[in-house]
């Protein structure tokens, strides 16, 4: 199943390299949500995430001739995307917005129907606190949290995407979670 | 001396815990590492507490919902990317054409100017100086941009 998917992807890349826009369109459709949510995790704004993820695809199409056929498309795309996101973060540092788009609307959509109102309020508060804590992380730490906990990639996949050893991924993740734990320590102790 | 050894040993144990704990939280330890980690948290209750805190952090992070954009965002996503790709190609052609035409126009202008016998020499020199100055400014700006790009702190991030 996985092999079929990889074969399909290789075929789409091959056709895209020959200028087949329909094939590239299929790659876009496969990875658009993942790219959007990766960007959203880093830049915290719906409009910026949409704009940056679309720009990443445009640049990817322009440079697809340079894509190593052995490499996974998303791993390669993600490097273009993160570069755009970090540039955006750097440019907008003074006007940084909080981790606001990871917000209440979806929280309510997915909230367990059986959960009573008071525990839902507590969960909401916990998530708000966490959002604030994530917002205080450095972009590199925030990125590793997004890739591990929101995108659910393995250490090996994260290392591949970031182009660094697995040990670096683990230490970066440790520092990020330690910072989150310290920011939320008091709050979580109250809840436990 | 004994105290120093004890401190070093505690430090090593601590470092070992730190190197294993993320793998334990994310279920990415090998069997041997898992057994080693089990032993560590059995022997050091403070590590167990910390481990549980990390698990809790992971649970809360994973359960944090992402706001879903409206469905039409996905319906029009490729269309928007396609338009950008097309527009980009248009801009590139437009820019190349404009550069060629402007360069040719300037060349013709300067040649005609030099050939004009009725125009005072100092006027010719002044116009050429204006054009040469403009070219120098443009080259200087482009060179500065290239320098900024070379010294960009994010340049290590592969494109």
């Amino acid at each position: 199943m996985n092999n079929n998917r990889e074969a399909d992807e290789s075929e789409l890349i091959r056709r895209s390299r020959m200028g087949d826009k329909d094939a590239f369109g299929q790659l876009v459709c496969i990875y658009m949500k993942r790219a959007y949510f990766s960007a959203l995790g880093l830049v915290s704004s719906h409009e910026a995430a949409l704009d940056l993820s679309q720009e990443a695809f445009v640049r990817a199409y322009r440079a697809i001739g340079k894509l190593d056929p052995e490499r996974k498309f998303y791993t390669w795309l993600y490097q273009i995307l993160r570069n755009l996101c970090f540039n955006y973060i750097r440019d907008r540092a003074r006007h940084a917005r909080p981790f606001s788009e990871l917000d209440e609307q979806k929280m309510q959509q997915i909230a367990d129907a059986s959960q009573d109102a008071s525990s839902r309020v507590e969960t909401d508060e916990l998530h708000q606190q966490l959002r604030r804590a994530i917002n205080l992380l450095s972009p590199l730490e925030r990125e590793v949290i997004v890739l591990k906990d929101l995108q659910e990639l393995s250490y090996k996949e994260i290392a591949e995407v970031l182009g660094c050893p697995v040990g670096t991924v683990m230490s970066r993740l440790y520092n990020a979670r330690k910072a989150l734990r310290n920011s939320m320590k008091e709050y979580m102790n109250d809840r436990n | 001396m004994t105290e120093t050894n004890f401190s070093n040993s505690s430090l090593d144990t601590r470092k070992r815990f730190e190197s294993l704990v993320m793998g334990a939280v994310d279920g990415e330890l090998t069997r041997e590492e898992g057994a080693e980690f089990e032993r560590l948290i059995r022997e050091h209750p403070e590590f167990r507490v910390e481990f549980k805190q990390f698990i809790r952090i992971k649970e809360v992070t994973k359960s944090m919902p992402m706001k879903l954009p409206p469905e039409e965002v996905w319906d029009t996503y490729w269309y928007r990317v396609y338009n950008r790709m097309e527009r980009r190609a248009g801009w590139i052609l437009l820019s190349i054409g404009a550069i060629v035409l402007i360069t040719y126009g300037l060349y013709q202008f300067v040649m005609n100017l030099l050939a004009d016998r009725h125009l005072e020499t100092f006027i010719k020199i002044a116009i050429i100086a204006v054009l040469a100055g403009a070219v120098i400014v443009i080259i200087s700006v482009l060179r500065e941009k290239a320098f900024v790009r070379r010294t960009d702190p994010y340049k290590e991030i592969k494109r």
Side-chain angles (χ1 to χ4, degrees):
Chain A
M1 182 72 181
N2 226 8
N3 284 345
N4 283 345
R5 210 174 125 182
E6 278 174 23
D8 289 348
E9 184 172 305
S10 299
E11 176 61 14
L12 290 174
I13 291 170
R14 193 190 62 76
R15 283 169 50 201
S16 299
R17 286 165 70 113
M18 292 167 70
D20 184 341
K21 286 183 179 163
D22 288 338
F24 188 72
Q26 287 182 52
L27 284 171
V28 171
C29 292
I30 292 169
Y31 291 112
M32 62 186 178
K33 290 188 182 177
R34 205 166 158 193
Y36 165 81
F37 282 113
S38 292
L40 182 58
L42 288 173
V43 301
S44 316
S45 150
H46 163 69
E47 290 79 15
L50 199 58
D51 182 54
L52 292 168
S53 62
Q54 288 175 348
E55 181 61 24
F57 280 113
V58 173
R59 292 190 184 198
Y61 182 73
R62 257 189 350 203
I64 201 155
K66 295 178 192 162
L67 171 60
D68 179 354
E70 299 298 311
R71 246 177 125 183
K72 285 181 186 168
F73 178 76
Y74 187 75
T75 308
W76 178 70
L77 175 78
Y78 183 78
Q79 293 196 328
I80 299 173
L81 179 63
R82 80 188 287 255
N83 193 36
L84 287 170
C85 289
F86 283 168
N87 285 341
Y88 173 87
I89 291 168
R90 186 187 53 184
D91 293 344
R92 302 295 165 100
R94 288 185 189 168
H95 310 286
R97 288 169 61 180
F99 216 59
S100 57
E101 301 289 342
L102 309 176
D103 74 3
E104 292 70 19
Q105 186 180 319
K106 173 78 188 310
M107 196 182 289
Q108 284 163 9
Q109 284 174 8
I110 67 163
D112 183 353
S114 63
Q115 205 178 21
D116 65 48
S118 65
S119 72
R120 194 159 59 227
V121 169
E122 280 185 7
T123 309
D124 288 359
E125 283 176 22
L126 196 63
H127 284 139
Q128 279 175 8
Q129 179 67 20
L130 181 67
R131 231 168 276 128
R132 279 191 284 270
I134 288 176
N135 209 37
L136 293 174
L137 296 176
S138 71
L140 288 177
E141 288 173 347
R142 199 186 308 168
E143 177 180 43
V144 83
I145 289 286
V146 169
L147 293 173
K148 183 68 217 166
D149 292 340
L150 304 181
Q151 301 238 328
E152 301 183 343
L153 300 188
S154 69
Y155 288 169
K156 199 179 156 200
E157 287 170 321
I158 296 174
E160 200 182 325
V161 157
L162 300 185
C164 66
V166 169
T168 306
V169 172
M170 288 170 82
S171 64
R172 207 174 279 174
L173 197 55
Y174 175 79
N175 289 331
R177 282 181 176 153
K178 192 175 159 191
L180 291 181
R181 187 196 63 181
N182 292 342
S183 297
M184 302 194 52
K185 208 166 199 171
E186 197 177 321
Y187 194 88
M188 288 178 72
N189 284 344
D190 287 350
R191 294 297 179 270
N192 286 334
Chain B
M1 185 70 180
T2 314
E3 197 173 306
T4 312
N5 283 343
F6 177 75
S7 304
N8 285 344
S9 156
S10 303
L11 207 64
D12 289 345
T13 312
R14 172 83 214 166
K15 276 188 179 166
R16 190 62 189 144
F17 167 75
E18 287 179 5
S19 71
L20 292 174
V21 67
M22 286 302 109
V25 169
D26 295 314
E28 296 221 19
L29 293 183
T30 62
R31 235 164 84 175
E32 292 75 24
E33 288 172 334
E36 187 186 353
F37 186 77
E38 277 297 323
R39 187 176 50 75
L40 269 176
I41 59 171
R42 204 170 44 240
E43 289 171 1
H44 300 270
E46 71 277 16
F47 289 167
R48 180 180 291 277
V49 172
E50 218 172 311
F51 174 51
K52 282 187 175 173
Q53 288 172 340
F54 280 127
I55 287 181
R56 181 77 180 118
I57 285 290
K58 183 187 162 109
E59 282 171 359
V60 178
T61 313
K62 274 178 78 88
S63 68
M64 190 166 67
M66 302 285 274
K67 179 181 180 179
L68 286 179
E71 202 51 40
E72 56 265 26
V73 165
W74 308 124
D75 296 341
T76 58
Y77 194 96
W78 163 235
Y79 176 70
R80 286 164 188 260
V81 172
Y82 184 85
N83 279 345
R84 279 189 188 211
M85 282 159 45
E86 208 173 44
R87 218 173 298 148
R88 187 70 52 94
W91 275 114
I92 290 170
L93 288 175
L94 189 72
S95 305
I96 292 171
I99 288 169
V100 170
L101 288 177
I102 290 169
T103 309
Y104 179 72
L106 280 175
Y107 173 77
Q108 288 297 332
F109 176 70
V110 171
M111 287 297 117
N112 287 338
L113 196 73
L114 293 174
D116 188 347
R117 290 178 184 176
H118 302 293
L119 203 61
E120 296 288 345
T121 308
F122 77 92
I123 297 287
K124 288 180 185 177
I125 292 171
I127 292 174
I128 290 171
V130 166
L131 291 175
V135 169
I136 290 169
V137 168
I138 290 168
I139 290 172
S140 171
V141 168
L142 291 177
R143 199 173 47 206
E144 190 181 357
K145 278 190 179 294
F147 174 76
V148 169
R149 180 172 274 209
R150 271 202 308 276
T151 54
D152 186 344
Y154 290 91
K155 72 169 185 175
E156 73 279 4
I157 297 163
K158 291 177 198 163
R159 287 167 198 269

